[in-house]
Amino acid sequence: MKKIKIVTFLFILFFAFIGIYQLNPPAAAPISAPLMEFSSGRAMNHLEAIAQKPHPIGSPEHAKVRDYILKELTAQGLSPEVQKTTVVNPRWGTPFVAGTVHNIVARLQGTNNTKAILVAAHYDSVPNGPGASDDGAAVVGMLETIRALRADSPLRNDVIFLITDGEEPGLLGAKAFVDEHPWAKDVGLVLNFEARGNSGASVMFETSSDNGWLIKEFAKAATHPVANSLTYSIYKLLPNDTDLTMFKQAGLSGFNFAYLNGLIHYHTFSDNLENIDERSLQHHGDYALALTRHFGNLDLKDTKESDAVYFDILGLALFHYPNVWIAPLTVFVVLLFVGVVVLGFRRKQLTFSGIVLGFLAFLLSIVSASLIVTLTWWMICTLHTGYRAFPQGDTYNSQFYMISFVALTIAITSGLYVWFRKKISVQNLTVGALLWWFILMVLTSVYLPGASYLFTWPLLFSLVGLGFIFASRDRDSGRVKHLVVLTACAIPGIILLAPTIYLVFVALSLKLSGVVMVLVVLLLGLLIPHLCLMSIPNKNKWLLPTASILVSLSFIVLASLTSGFDANHPKPNSIFYGLNADTGKAIWASIDEKPDEWTSQFLSANTEKGILAEYLPLVPKKFLNSQAPVATLAAPNIEPLSDQVRHGVRIVRVQITSPRQARIMSIYVDSNTEVLAAVVNGKRIDKNDIPAHIEPGKLWVLNYFAFPKEGIELTLEVKPSQPLKIRTVDQSDGLPGIPGIFFKTRPKDMMPMPFGVSDSTLVSKSFTFGTSKK
């Protein structure tokens, strides 16, 4: 029996490992790969050219990246165009996001076009990161895809390549394309590529609605699919956005792809050439080329079909079925559950009180594991205060902490079940746990259909195994056979849940580890007979809990020793300069908890902590700040153009400029003034565009990115009886030079924090226009 227990344990570990291992991206293809195939090696040559430095929208480096992309597209025989326009995105209300964008568009003609495929990625980076993964990998993947397509026979449909601008500040380029570009009406399908890390498999995490036909064709074309409708269902409920949001809003069908591992590198200086996993770029490219070829030869005039449930099986194939199957499948599993429970009662294997206790025991396991892991992470952060510097809530080598928390959850759950086993039979404990699965299956089938598969199929197979045991008459002599059947029936649950747990952990990060452990306990609920087996004979009952605790402690120590800061794992910190042109005073400020050895050269001993309303009126957080030398910096300027009243509405038209040519301009209208409408360079923001939750009394704000040298014309429509007070804050990249003062450069073991004003200079000035002089 001892050998059987070891084999069973190893068998479970093997399938859990396989489930997670399949999330590795495919091997990188070298430069010498066949010309009709995608080669990450060839794409990396492009990435080395465009991901050397940060290139946010409107920066000189941004223009260099654009020129390089245009040159490469032209060299490949295309005729790229630049769509330059002012765009305003009112999607999130105030602050409204606007900017001058330069989208790059090119078209590969098909032989008999039905509707075009749009392949999209953005080429702007955040101000403090080179953007190798976000979104440089997708851009260079597009260039390599174009080369491979042109090396093969022409497709039936046209392919439009859209390299958007201004995604990082607010999806500006995508909105400009769907609103203004004539090719937008030709699009039948969108493939959008993103990144939220530096490694891992490229996950197809989002589709458009009515995705049944899309999923069916995706399953045929994708060679290494990593996708499931759980991510799509959850993503719809979250406030997150990518360029696909704008395409879907315009009624276009599409897919969204991103790799997620390495969240610690997202939007930071370490999103660079040294840290990107080339295999992730290869996976992006495999999708782009295979799907473009597949859909490029299909009729794309009608891509809508009722939504589907879908999930990949070990990255080998995509299993899918229409949503209309959910109800009958759920009813079948409900009947099966009832039948198995009735059989258990008839065979005197179950009792009502035992099931209730088993149900409560499983709840106690979930709550205990979640709370203890959350408390453990809090204690770790208290010990390692440097972890709080990461706004993502993650650490370097976070996978070690993940393993430790999973092991800790196994220790807690298996330890509790040693105790439960004294009072409750294994059969009652198992059915009590499966009752939770039953409830979750029903709830997801009704309220979150795309997630229903995650509970339906594991529960179905577990019920089959449990029913077999209840129906079997050789209870003692057939113990080995029972274990084999239960283990075989647990495999689908392991294969589905293990990679899901890993992906959810990667997506939520360590700060929500307690939430992720709920899924771990759910998986252990399918393995209760196996956990109880480990406690037989009685002298070995604490073997699994003890071993798991030791594994957990070992990985916590390992993570603590390897998650520190050095040149390869820099610590984020922040500093920025603010000059109030109204008062003539200046400050150094930081979002950090306290000055470190580098920021302390800016922050004096008289450092205070408070909000900075004159620079960041919408940010309630308190900043470290201290007095700074006053640099010679020209303030933003507002030139009145007209001020008149029409039909009871005061219309004020002004020209706003930044004499020092800052990259960003923020415009704040005093909260005592209700803005009825506005026009920015001819683009109107009506009151209907302002979400209902924005009440009078809240600041009306416009953030304009890639602020033009000539400035912008802004028209505000307000009530005549109200005075108009406007504060302007222009923001440039980098800290100002101050004569006679020299600051040390940031050490290699530090990097700018991914915060909007880190390493920047802000100049603030207010302007007042009295009430109307009608």
Side-chain angles (χ1 to χ4, degrees):
M1 194 63 183
K2 183 178 180 181
K3 292 182 179 180
I4 295 296
K5 289 194 290 185
I6 294 173
V7 170
T8 301
F9 181 72
L10 294 177
F11 200 70
I12 292 170
L13 283 182
F14 171 77
F15 278 99
F17 172 79
I18 290 296
I20 296 173
Y21 182 79
Q22 59 89 14
L23 293 175
N24 280 319
I31 296 176
S32 59
L35 294 179
M36 288 192 296
E37 296 180 6
F38 185 94
S39 163
S40 59
R42 289 188 284 257
M44 284 296 292
N45 289 334
H46 296 304
L47 193 62
E48 290 172 3
I50 70 170
Q52 292 289 337
K53 298 178 181 179
H55 44 278
I57 177 175
S59 66
E61 285 298 322
H62 180 252
K64 292 179 183 178
V65 171
R66 179 169 62 250
D67 290 341
Y68 178 87
I69 295 170
L70 290 169
K71 177 175 69 71
E72 289 301 317
L73 289 172
T74 302
Q76 298 209 38
L78 300 182
S79 300
E81 302 173 1
V82 175
Q83 179 196 13
K84 180 182 177 181
T85 186
T86 293
V87 60
V88 180
N89 195 345
R91 175 175 173 80
W92 305 278
T94 186
F96 298 101
V97 182
T100 302
V101 299
H102 295 76
N103 287 337
I104 302 170
V105 289
R107 191 162 187 157
L108 186 62
Q109 297 290 337
T111 59
N112 185 21
N113 186 49
T114 60
K115 281 280 192 175
I117 298 172
L118 178 69
V119 184
H122 68 89
Y123 73 101
D124 61 308
S125 76
V126 293
N128 291 314
S133 284
D134 181 24
D135 198 22
V139 172
V140 301
M142 194 183 301
L143 295 176
E144 171 63 7
T145 297
I146 294 170
R147 185 210 56 75
L149 288 173
R150 290 186 62 80
D152 202 353
S153 55
L155 302 174
R156 175 185 179 184
N157 295 318
D158 293 358
V159 184
I160 299 171
F161 298 95
L162 171 63
I163 306 177
T164 63
D165 191 9
E167 190 273 349
E168 294 294 358
L171 319 179
L172 297 176
K175 181 167 176 58
F177 179 81
V178 298
D179 284 354
E180 300 181 25
H181 202 283
W183 289 355
K185 68 180 186 303
D186 300 336
V187 175
L189 177 69
V190 180
L191 305 177
N192 188 65
F193 292 88
E194 267 288 357
R196 206 200 68 157
N198 72 326
S199 59
S202 181
V203 181
M204 196 281 283
F205 67 94
E206 181 188 12
T207 73
S208 51
S209 58
D210 298 322
N211 61 23
W213 182 81
L214 296 179
I215 293 300
K216 180 170 58 179
E217 297 302 327
F218 175 83
K220 296 176 184 176
T223 55
H224 184 68
V226 179
N228 60 70
S229 49
L230 169 69
T231 59
Y232 168 55
S233 297
I234 294 176
Y235 189 82
K236 288 192 297 184
L237 304 176
L238 299 176
N240 301 336
D241 292 298
T242 68
D243 277 345
L244 189 67
T245 303
M246 294 291 101
F247 301 136
K248 288 170 62 176
Q249 190 172 292
L252 301 179
S253 300
F255 298 101
N256 217 353
F257 302 86
Y259 50 90
L260 311 175
N261 291 37
L263 176 62
I264 199 74
H265 302 284
Y266 179 58
H267 282 181
T268 71
F269 193 78
S270 61
D271 180 12
N272 54 35
L273 292 165
E274 290 73 26
N275 290 322
I276 186 174
D277 187 340
E278 187 179 329
R279 298 176 303 163
S280 301
L281 168 55
Q282 181 69 42
H283 203 185
H284 260 356
D286 287 348
Y287 278 136
L289 185 56
L291 295 176
T292 301
R293 280 176 173 157
H294 181 78
F295 286 101
N297 288 311
L298 299 179
D299 189 338
L300 299 180
K301 291 179 181 176
D302 184 11
T303 60
K304 302 289 187 179
E305 192 177 285
S306 60
D307 280 336
V309 175
Y310 57 94
F311 52 91
D312 70 274
I313 301 173
L314 299 179
L316 302 174
L318 193 76
F319 187 72
H320 58 94
Y321 52 90
N323 273 12
V324 294
W325 286 20
I326 294 175
L329 188 58
T330 301
V331 170
F332 174 76
V333 177
V334 167
L335 294 175
L336 181 61
F337 185 89
V338 172
V340 169
V341 171
V342 169
L343 180 61
F345 275 109
R346 287 185 175 179
R347 293 299 175 87
K348 302 190 184 303
Q349 297 290 297
L350 299 175
T351 64
F352 179 78
S353 60
I355 293 175
V356 171
L357 290 174
F359 180 83
L360 296 175
F362 196 66
L363 175 61
L364 179 61
S365 299
I366 291 174
V367 173
S368 299
S370 181
L371 289 178
I372 292 173
V373 167
T374 300
L375 178 62
T376 302
W377 175 239
W378 177 82
M379 293 172 63
I380 290 171
C381 289
T382 302
L383 182 63
H384 298 280
T385 55
Y387 292 173
R388 295 174 182 169
F390 293 106
Q392 303 97 326
D394 220 24
T395 69
Y396 294 112
N397 296 324
S398 59
Q399 68 273 15
F400 294 146
Y401 280 121
M402 178 193 177
I403 295 172
S404 73
F405 292 157
V406 170
L408 179 58
T409 298
I410 293 173
I412 294 166
T413 305
S414 60
L416 286 173
Y417 271 84
V418 169
W419 181 64
F420 297 150
R421 181 68 181 85
K422 297 177 181 178
K423 306 291 183 180
I424 313 168
S425 70
V426 175
Q427 294 87 341
N428 284 317
L429 288 171
T430 302
V431 173
L434 293 184
L435 185 55
W436 280 102
W437 278 82
F438 175 88
I439 293 171
L440 291 170
M441 177 195 68
V442 173
L443 290 176
T444 53
S445 296
V446 175
Y447 298 108
L448 205 64
S452 60
Y453 77 91
L454 192 63
F455 302 101
T456 301
W457 294 103
L459 179 58
L460 172 61
F461 282 94
S462 292
L463 288 172
V464 169
L466 192 61
F468 173 83
I469 291 175
F470 286 163
S472 177
R473 298 187 181 277
D474 51 346
R475 296 173 189 169
D476 296 323
S477 59
R479 181 176 295 176
V480 173
K481 182 169 64 174
H482 293 175
L483 186 59
V484 170
V485 170
L486 285 173
T487 303
C489 291
I491 291 173
I494 297 170
I495 289 176
L496 285 179
L497 241 70
T500 300
I501 291 168
Y502 181 80
L503 284 176
V504 171
F505 169 80
V506 168
L508 297 184
S509 76
L510 285 168
K511 65 182 178 182
L512 293 176
S513 296
V515 176
V516 182
M517 294 309 112
V518 172
L519 290 175
V520 176
V521 178
L522 282 171
L523 176 55
L524 294 175
L526 302 177
L527 303 173
I528 287 175
H530 307 80
L531 294 179
C532 294
L533 171 71
M534 299 299 169
S535 64
I536 301 174
N538 199 50
K539 63 180 180 179
N540 293 330
K541 63 183 179 181
W542 294 106
L543 178 61
L544 181 59
T546 303
S548 300
I549 281 287
L550 292 175
V551 170
S552 178
L553 291 174
S554 299
F555 275 95
I556 287 176
V557 172
L558 179 61
S560 298
L561 294 175
T562 60
S563 297
F565 305 118
D566 54 40
N568 295 321
H569 305 93
K571 174 187 176 182
N573 59 14
S574 70
I575 195 73
F576 64 93
Y577 179 87
L579 171 64
N580 188 330
D582 297 324
T583 63
K585 296 181 179 180
I587 61 166
W588 295 112
S590 173
I591 200 172
D592 300 350
E593 289 189 359
K594 60 181 180 180
D596 59 28
E597 57 268 31
W598 184 72
T599 58
S600 58
Q601 66 181 319
F602 304 98
L603 300 168
S604 67
N606 298 321
T607 296
E608 301 175 348
K609 202 163 190 178
I611 61 173
L612 302 177
E614 65 268 46
Y615 303 104
L616 302 167
L618 293 185
V619 181
K621 183 177 178 63
K622 293 183 177 181
F623 293 80
L624 294 173
N625 66 90
S626 64
Q627 187 175 350
V630 178
T632 305
L633 299 170
N637 185 52
I638 295 184
E639 185 71 28
L641 300 178
S642 64
D643 187 350
Q644 53 188 312
V645 176
R646 293 180 186 171
H647 307 294
V649 177
R650 183 184 182 188
I651 304 173
V652 180
R653 189 165 61 94
V654 299
Q655 182 76 16
I656 303 177
T657 56
S658 173
R660 66 191 189 95
Q661 297 182 8
R663 190 174 61 83
I664 304 170
M665 179 71 73
S666 296
I667 302 158
Y668 303 87
V669 177
D670 188 79
S671 59
N672 293 320
T673 303
E674 181 183 357
V675 178
L676 304 175
V679 181
V680 183
N681 275 2
K683 302 298 172 66
R684 187 174 179 84
I685 308 173
D686 281 312
K687 196 166 185 179
N688 293 335
D689 295 326
I690 302 174
H693 67 269
I694 298 177
E695 301 291 341
K698 181 174 182 180
L699 279 174
W700 186 96
V701 183
L702 176 74
N703 292 328
Y704 197 106
F705 294 81
F707 195 73
K709 294 179 181 179
E710 67 275 15
I712 63 169
E713 184 177 301
L714 174 67
T715 301
L716 295 172
E717 298 180 10
V718 299
K719 294 179 179 180
S721 59
Q722 296 177 330
L724 180 61
K725 184 176 181 180
I726 301 174
R727 176 174 292 279
T728 56
V729 181
D730 67 3
Q731 177 182 336
S732 57
D733 301 317
L735 302 176
I738 300 175
I741 300 179
F742 299 94
F743 296 107
K744 294 181 292 183
T745 58
R746 183 182 269 111
K748 290 185 178 181
D749 62 346
M750 297 180 184
M751 66 178 177
M753 182 176 288
F755 177 66
V757 295
S758 289
D759 283 33
S760 63
T761 298
L762 283 68
V763 179
S764 171
K765 185 172 177 59
S766 61
F767 301 84
T768 301
F769 302 84
T771 55
S772 173
K773 298 179 181 180
K774 178 181 176 182

